[in-house]
Amino acid sequence: YNALVIVVSLIFPLPTALAINGVGTAICLSVSYWIGRRTKTESLEQKLAEHPKLQKYFSATREYGFVSCFAIHLIVLGILFGMLRIDFWTYLASSWLAIIPGMVCFTIAGAELNLRSPLFWLVLAIDGVLILFGILYTKKKILKRQES
């Protein structure tokens, strides 16, 4: 994926490359979601029933769809959300937003071939902060839910 993002940025001007990569990202996210959505979930549900601790996190994922998709996509998971039957538009929006900072970093890196670019490092820092925020926020929500 990242190699394609860089190649697109080598071929097209930066604004065009960002648009192409943004649309391509949405298409990739949609394909993996619909593969998961069409998958039978009985085996997943059986495995979750055998592991209550893991099931707790998956049920929280359904409850906090947008935040969960955002946080987990920063950690890179795809088909799982379709299998969990999370709303498609919630999945697509949160996942796309989670992936965009990294995609922008690779697009800028490919367009400028200069890792000293302040814009590259700014977007990379934003990506890191989003990853940290997503993990901490999701953990907080899950712990709060456990206390209730």
Side-chain angles (χ1 to χ4, degrees), residues 1-77:
Y1 169 82
N2 291 330
L4 288 174
V5 168
I6 291 171
V7 167
V8 167
S9 66
L10 291 171
I11 296 171
F12 297 98
L14 185 59
T16 305
L18 287 170
I20 291 169
N21 287 335
V23 170
T25 298
I27 291 169
C28 290
L29 291 169
S30 299
V31 169
S32 65
Y33 175 87
W34 287 109
I35 289 171
R37 188 69 179 208
R38 300 284 183 230
T39 302
K40 294 182 180 171
T41 61
E42 291 82 21
S43 59
L44 175 64
E45 290 169 5
Q46 277 180 329
K47 291 292 181 189
L48 290 176
E50 295 171 13
H51 304 282
K53 191 172 184 179
L54 193 58
Q55 187 173 21
K56 165 181 67 176
Y57 291 104
F58 278 91
S59 62
T61 299
R62 287 186 187 126
E63 186 175 337
Y64 303 110
F66 187 89
V67 172
S68 297
C69 286
F70 186 86
I72 293 173
H73 239 292
L74 288 170
I75 305 168
V76 187
L77 292 176

